[in-house]
Amino acid sequence: MKIIFYYLAVILFIVSCNSTNKTVTTNTSNIPENAVRIANDSLEYEIIIIDIGFETYLYSIAKPSHFYSKEYYEIKNKFYVTEWNIRARNPLRYNPNIYENVIDYDFSIDYGLDVNYKLYNYFKFVEYKYKQTF
């Protein structure tokens, strides 16, 4: 099982992956209030984003999930994840409080529309809230 933790000041960004065929029991009672859970239970991937304002951004500013295609989100996420990882690997050049950890996003896996949509909008939220330009 791969587990990735992303701490961005007040942000906890967890992506977990299990490539075996085990059944995953998700205990949503451990998710803090105002957290956004992104999951593809069939692939056993989960992202939990805890950041003040992300839930509001997702439901009020972000475009609806079907505004763009899944392929659009996948292409954008490839770009964003690559750029994010470059910044996470260069803490002297980029703010290590924002880009604390590398994202282990496998471009060959179909995460589905919901996961890609919310991950894409998390990057858009980082641009919006922290005034970052990718």
Side-chain angles (χ1 to χ4, degrees):
M1 175 183 268
K2 299 177 188 175
I3 300 176
I4 300 139
F5 297 97
Y6 308 101
Y7 296 101
L8 310 171
V10 199
I11 304 168
L12 172 65
F13 186 73
I14 302 172
V15 177
S16 65
C17 163
N18 186 342
S19 60
T20 64
N21 290 328
K22 296 178 187 175
T23 303
V24 173
T25 305
T26 304
N27 184 354
T28 57
S29 64
N30 292 336
I31 298 173
E33 188 176 331
N34 295 328
V36 175
R37 180 178 181 266
I38 306 167
N40 184 329
D41 293 329
S42 65
L43 292 176
E44 301 175 2
Y45 284 89
E46 181 178 60
I47 301 170
I48 299 172
I49 300 173
I50 304 169
D51 193 345
I52 297 170
F54 179 63
E55 184 177 32
T56 303
Y57 176 88
L58 190 61
Y59 296 115
S60 63
I61 297 173
K63 294 177 176 152
S65 63
H66 292 289
F67 190 83
Y68 297 114
S69 68
K70 180 176 68 95
E71 291 75 23
Y72 175 87
Y73 294 123
E74 289 171 341
I75 290 167
K76 289 296 196 175
N77 284 340
K78 286 178 186 179
F79 166 76
Y80 281 126
V81 167
T82 302
E83 183 62 27
W84 182 280
N85 289 342
I86 289 169
R87 294 176 186 204
R89 290 182 179 115
N90 292 295
L92 298 176
R93 186 170 178 196
Y94 299 102
N95 186 343
N97 294 324
I98 297 174
Y99 308 102
E100 196 167 310
N101 293 306
V102 173
I103 298 173
D104 186 18
Y105 181 92
D106 187 345
F107 302 128
S108 66
I109 294 176
D110 180 6
Y111 295 95
L113 176 66
D114 189 54
V115 171
N116 279 292
Y117 166 73
K118 290 180 180 173
L119 181 60
Y120 165 80
N121 277 294
Y122 178 71
F123 291 123
K124 299 306 279 183
F125 174 73
V126 169
E127 289 179 329
Y128 173 79
K129 181 175 181 179
Y130 299 107
K131 308 295 186 228
Q132 299 297 301
T133 305
F134 289 97

